[in-house]
Amino acid sequence: MKTVSTFNHNWLFAPVQVEHDASDDRFEAICLPHTNKLFSRPFVDNAEYQFISTYRKHFALPDALDSQQVFIDFDGAMLVSHVFVNGQPVAVHKGGFTPFSVDITDQAVPGDNLLTVYVDATEDTSVPPYGNLVDYLTFGGIYRDVHLRLVDSCHITSLFPKPVTVLTAPGLDCDVRLSQWKPGLRLEARLHDADGQPVALLTQDVSSQSVVVSFVDLEQIDLWTLKNPALYTLKLSLLSGGDVIDQQVVRFGFRSAEFCDDGRFYLNGEPVKLFGLNRHQTYPYLGAAAPKRLQELDADILKYELGCNIVRTSHYAQSPHFLNRCDEIGLLVFEEIAGWQHIGDEAWRALVMDDLRAMIERDRHHPSIILWGVRINESPDDEDLYGETNALARALDSTRQTGGVRNFIRSEFLEDVFTLNDFPPGIQTPLVRPHLITEFGGHMFPTKTWDHEERRVEHALHHARKQNLQMGHPDIAGAIGWCAFDYHTHREFGSGDRICYHGVMDIYRLPKMAAYFYRSQKSPSDEIVLYAATNWTMGDRAAGGNNPLTIFSNCDEIEVFIGENSQGRFRPDVEQFPHLNHPPFTIRWQEPYNPWGTAFQDLTVRGLIGGAIVAEQRIDSSHLPQALRLSSNTDRLSADGTDMARIALQITDKYGNVLPYQMRSVTLTLEGEADLIGANPLVLLGGQAGCYVRSRFAAGTVTLTAETDDLPKAAIQLGIGD
Ligand code: GAL
């Protein structure tokens, strides 16, 4: 019978290449996910992570392995990995974004073993995404999870549950592949619903190495929808002579997802306009080595804080934890292969095919994924390569359509969906259908949290205008803006500090004004949003004043007060934004309006729905810093040495509004069994910044205290342990 164990603990790490027989003293003890270099500041020079490091792990195997095979499954290591067991070479893997399994049966021995992985994080031009310039950093290390797997030599090598005819007579075809066939094998497939209740059971004899197990006419199946993402579990057991010799469990959902020739995207037969953002997987300090909780947090932010219904995993396959969370919360995903504008030689192309295969084989059970990106982002047309990638994607997964992101509209259409990065103002008229906009914004309007107000408002409106145009365009299935979060980049891009300030949130995942545009498109039944896009000053804008004032809200009416005086009630700006579900409000004060140097009072905005006041925001006209706000995305961490909380620090006025020009240094003190990851003192830019608290192995409580100049201290406590 199979055993799978987490292999994330008790590793040894050295940021150099260390020989197999060298003493353990040369290493430091670490856990995975791990970055080969932890940064204590958000700015990163890519030269700093490009080196070979050694990961070493002592591990024990049972005394009798019988006919078992031993595998080590790596979810991801950046960028090239050389794997050795007991000093003998086992495998070389090139590519940092997709998983690889290493069969160590021949090199492993019963009892004690030594695993060594040399991970080369050099930006190797023979491995995608490298070969030319790339607008993102890859970082280095074994930055995702690893598992040890012992299986019978006859085992399940792949299981793909394919829901069929879900809208009429739901069924499930499970494609099963075994490592070998022998007489007397049986399969038992058990289907359970999200509560673990049994739904159906099937058993069948196995007649060959590849078989299909089919459930037909399943009754009372809950569809996976955006509001109710019902998930089912399939447990497949392989039996020989009555004994279970292998078992695989996979979670999936029943749903249909199709981009149609009428230009629209349909989920379960209902049209859904796609409205979303791109996501890079990198973080301040951590590189790409963010544990499960932070991966899940990104999905939650995209769905709940930004109101997106789709995310694109630009520009590579992302963490299984991120995708699992998208399944759980009902966030659609467009996942694509690694690369950036460049196509390399034959060997490089072969790695592209490997990457595509690994991505689809790993991820085709996710109901959230609705489209495979089978081109290198923004690369030139290449009929041979993209003919092959399309054919491979269709062969591996007949249930999903393909897309391939290009930046020129006359590109050859080999995919099922024409996916275009559409940066110019306005919208390019689709030449074919279906057509999906996969990027806009970004470098056309980089914006920092501490930019002046007009720029920050314009950044938000840039997103609002494009989303408005696509929402109203019948031939466009949706638009995915560039991008959710500011990200690390090479020196040829970004603002000189190696950061692209293209996010609607900053690198810590804290909001810019543009984030509130996205959030305001949520249904008021999910959250009532009211955000005045102003710091309400007299002199921050050119020529002073606050004209016009933009308010992002999903209320149907607002009332605005200066001091105690109502300035009137206002309706959404349907003239400028006729197609948005919740057009922003534009308040044009009566001309001339210039409060420069005149008496100036607080701003109050009230949001109304159906005539009733449902929300209020106040902005303090004194702009005095009143509080240091310290918050965490969780109040509890697992005592597993890898779990992390995202800590946010913000300076606010007396009403809780972040003050964007408070550039302060904050000193953090962490008491208890946990580590602080980040800069300390931490400099707040745009009135905000973040860091992480990582658990150790001890249960208990830790206290984090933040202090700055003249504001009251802030403190939070986190419980550690299950
Ligand atoms: C696109 C590219 C993205 C990012 C973006 C910046 O051309 O696909 O990766 O560089 O520009 O706006």
Side-chain angles (χ1 to χ4, degrees):
M1 180 52 182
K2 169 163 87 177
T3 56
V4 179
S5 353
T6 301
F7 223 43
N8 283 352
H9 295 110
N10 300 318
W11 285 81
L12 296 169
F13 169 77
V16 288
Q17 199 160 0
V18 179
E19 321 74 69
H20 300 294
D21 54 2
S23 147
D24 284 354
D25 298 348
R26 306 238 336 243
F27 293 83
E28 115 190 57
I30 56 121
C31 295
L32 307 180
H34 182 258
T35 178
N36 66 349
K37 185 162 171 70
L38 197 60
F39 294 90
S40 58
R41 53 188 147 77
F43 314 128
V44 169
D45 176 355
N46 61 316
E48 294 181 65
Y49 65 70
Q50 293 190 64
F51 54 85
I52 298 176
S53 36
T54 308
Y55 288 81
R56 174 184 277 193
K57 185 167 168 59
H58 297 277
F59 66 103
L61 289 174
D63 286 339
L65 281 171
D66 300 328
S67 67
Q68 288 200 301
Q69 269 183 285
V70 187
F71 290 93
I72 300 180
D73 299 329
F74 292 83
D75 280 354
M78 194 66 75
L79 177 72
V80 176
S81 305
H82 296 257
V83 183
F84 293 76
V85 168
N86 299 325
Q88 298 172 54
V90 190
V92 178
H93 179 78
K94 295 183 172 191
F97 299 100
T98 38
F100 57 100
S101 285
V102 178
D103 182 347
I104 62 165
T105 316
D106 292 344
Q107 294 80 12
V109 293
D112 292 340
N113 288 270
L114 179 68
L115 168 68
T116 308
V117 191
Y118 295 119
V119 180
D120 188 351
T122 310
E123 296 177 352
D124 181 339
T125 54
S126 70
V127 183
Y130 293 108
N132 206 342
L133 301 177
V134 176
D135 175 22
Y136 53 91
L137 296 191
T138 45
F139 295 95
I142 306 182
Y143 75 104
R144 290 187 187 154
D145 298 341
V146 176
H147 291 91
L148 174 72
R149 179 165 49 101
L150 271 63
V151 281
D152 193 285
S153 54
C154 178
H155 60 272
I156 303 164
T157 53
S158 83
L159 167 61
F160 177 22
K162 292 190 294 194
V164 291
T165 54
V166 295
L167 301 184
T168 46
L172 187 69
D173 287 344
C174 309
D175 288 351
V176 182
R177 203 172 157 77
L178 305 180
S179 58
Q180 56 177 250
W181 181 83
K182 60 183 185 186
L185 292 175
R186 275 180 78 71
L187 283 171
E188 182 190 274
R190 288 176 186 273
L191 186 60
H192 293 268
D193 67 14
D195 303 322
Q197 294 305 312
V199 174
L201 165 68
L202 269 183
T203 53
Q204 75 182 51
D205 290 337
V206 179
S207 52
S208 68
Q209 212 177 333
S210 294
V211 286
V212 181
V213 178
S214 295
F215 292 90
V216 291
D217 288 335
L218 292 163
E219 279 169 20
Q220 293 182 330
I221 287 297
D222 288 330
L223 293 181
W224 186 92
T225 66
L226 298 184
K227 270 203 170 314
N228 178 33
L231 292 172
Y232 286 77
T233 305
L234 178 75
K235 191 193 254 186
L236 185 76
S237 305
L238 177 64
L239 295 97
S240 174
D243 294 333
V244 176
I245 57 169
D246 193 12
Q247 205 163 61
Q248 270 205 20
V249 180
V250 63
R251 199 174 64 164
F252 67 99
F254 289 89
R255 56 113 184 97
S256 75
E258 199 181 358
F259 291 84
C260 293
D261 289 345
D262 67 1
R264 300 205 249 184
F265 169 72
Y266 290 84
L267 185 66
N268 301 321
E270 301 284 334
V272 175
K273 258 288 183 188
L274 299 173
F275 175 82
L277 290 162
N278 284 268
R279 175 207 187 221
H280 267 306
Q281 67 171 9
T282 53
Y283 292 77
Y285 323 119
L286 309 173
K292 178 170 183 270
R293 190 184 301 276
L294 296 186
Q295 300 287 345
E296 293 178 344
L297 176 63
D298 270 10
D300 286 352
I301 289 172
L302 281 153
K303 166 110 182 176
Y304 300 117
E305 266 193 74
L306 298 170
C308 294
N309 60 24
I310 187 166
V311 57
R312 171 171 167 234
T313 65
S314 49
H315 301 297
Y316 37 76
Q318 298 193 354
S319 160
H321 298 304
F322 178 74
L323 297 169
N324 285 339
R325 189 65 184 158
C326 293
D327 288 349
E328 287 165 4
I329 63 179
L331 177 63
L332 302 169
V333 179
F334 171 20
E335 188 172 45
E336 72 185 351
I337 48 173
W340 205 82
Q341 294 192 347
H342 163 79
I343 301 176
D345 61 13
E346 282 312 308
W348 197 98
R349 288 161 189 245
L351 292 175
V352 170
M353 299 306 287
D354 291 349
D355 190 43
L356 177 64
R357 174 183 288 281
M359 175 178 83
I360 296 181
E361 287 183 343
R362 184 192 73 170
D363 287 338
R364 57 194 171 178
H365 63 282
H366 287 288
S368 56
I369 297 178
I370 56 166
L371 194 61
W372 298 124
V374 305
R375 281 184 187 234
I376 305 299
N377 171 63
E378 294 190 339
S379 55
D381 279 345
D382 186 317
E383 195 173 347
D384 289 345
L385 179 61
Y386 296 136
E388 267 184 63
T389 56
N390 272 285
L392 180 63
R394 290 173 182 135
L396 293 172
D397 180 4
S398 57
T399 73
R400 280 184 188 79
Q401 292 165 301
T402 61
V405 173
R406 66 271 279 166
N407 54 3
F408 55 110
I409 199 161
R410 300 215 170 265
S411 154
E412 190 179 17
F413 188 28
L414 302 169
E415 293 77 17
D416 303 311
V417 183
F418 192 89
T419 41
L420 178 74
N421 289 350
D422 187 359
F423 283 101
I427 219 157
Q428 294 178 60
T429 305
L431 301 181
V432 290
R433 290 189 303 200
H435 174 117
L436 173 68
I437 297 174
T438 37
E439 288 181 36
F440 66 89
H443 65 286
M444 304 298 283
F445 215 83
T447 303
K448 304 178 188 70
T449 44
W450 62 97
D451 272 333
H452 62 85
E453 179 171 308
E454 277 158 316
R455 185 162 191 97
R456 285 179 286 128
V457 177
E458 186 56 27
H459 177 229
L461 291 175
H462 192 96
H463 280 267
R465 288 189 203 107
K466 196 80 159 200
Q467 291 287 10
N468 171 63
L469 288 177
Q470 74 96 359
M471 294 292 279
H473 204 303
D475 292 337
I476 294 179
I480 307 174
W482 191 265
C483 57
F485 316 123
D486 291 347
Y487 58 96
H488 297 285
T489 193
H490 292 93
R491 72 187 168 90
E492 292 80 4
F493 307 90
S495 294
D497 56 0
R498 313 297 163 87
I499 294 182
C500 271
Y501 292 94
H502 298 177
V504 303
M505 292 185 139
D506 68 16
I507 203 161
Y508 308 104
R509 286 62 171 151
L510 297 172
K512 301 180 188 173
M513 282 180 176
Y516 291 96
F517 156 65
Y518 278 88
R519 191 168 183 165
S520 69
Q521 299 308 295
K522 288 173 75 172
S523 161
S525 60
D526 291 332
E527 183 191 8
I528 292 170
V529 180
L530 177 68
Y531 177 82
T534 177
N535 300 112
W536 197 241
T537 61
M538 292 197 194
D540 196 34
R541 297 190 185 191
N546 287 285
N547 210 6
L549 174 65
T550 302
I551 290 166
F552 297 114
S553 177
N554 51 10
C555 293
D556 51 35
E557 198 180 7
I558 57 171
E559 184 164 6
V560 177
F561 297 78
I562 297 178
E564 298 302 313
N565 299 324
S566 173
Q567 308 296 307
R569 287 192 174 192
F570 301 86
R571 291 268 172 195
D573 187 352
V574 286
E575 242 171 74
Q576 266 198 86
F577 304 99
H579 309 297
L580 289 177
N581 291 337
H582 302 288
F585 294 76
T586 313
I587 290 138
R588 294 181 200 284
W589 309 101
Q590 287 189 350
E591 300 292 349
Y593 179 79
N594 186 349
W596 175 255
T598 61
F600 196 52
Q601 291 172 295
D602 292 357
L603 176 77
T604 303
V605 184
R606 292 200 180 123
L608 298 96
I609 295 183
I613 299 170
V614 290
E616 182 179 277
Q617 185 192 3
R618 282 172 176 246
I619 303 185
D620 177 14
S621 55
S622 80
H623 315 111
L624 290 175
Q626 195 74 20
L628 174 59
R629 186 159 68 208
L630 171 59
S631 60
S632 166
N633 67 311
T634 178
D635 57 10
R636 185 151 280 280
L637 291 175
S638 303
D640 64 0
T642 64
D643 198 4
M644 284 189 206
R646 193 279 308 265
I647 304 297
L649 286 131
Q650 293 166 310
I651 303 267
T652 69
D653 70 6
K654 68 179 177 197
Y655 300 121
N657 304 291
V658 175
L659 293 169
Y661 307 136
Q662 289 293 323
M663 313 297 190
R664 289 193 181 214
S665 161
V666 175
T667 303
L668 299 159
T669 312
L670 182 63
E671 288 164 279
E673 289 285 312
D675 295 303
L676 187 66
I677 312 274
N680 191 14
L682 181 62
V683 176
L684 308 196
L685 292 172
Q688 57 191 22
C691 60
Y692 303 97
V693 169
R694 184 176 62 199
S695 65
R696 295 183 192 158
F697 297 97
T701 303
V702 299
T703 305
L704 180 67
T705 312
E707 284 178 76
T708 184
D709 306 346
D710 51 340
L711 295 175
K713 264 191 202 175
I716 50 167
Q717 291 203 321
L718 300 178
I720 302 199
D722 299 320

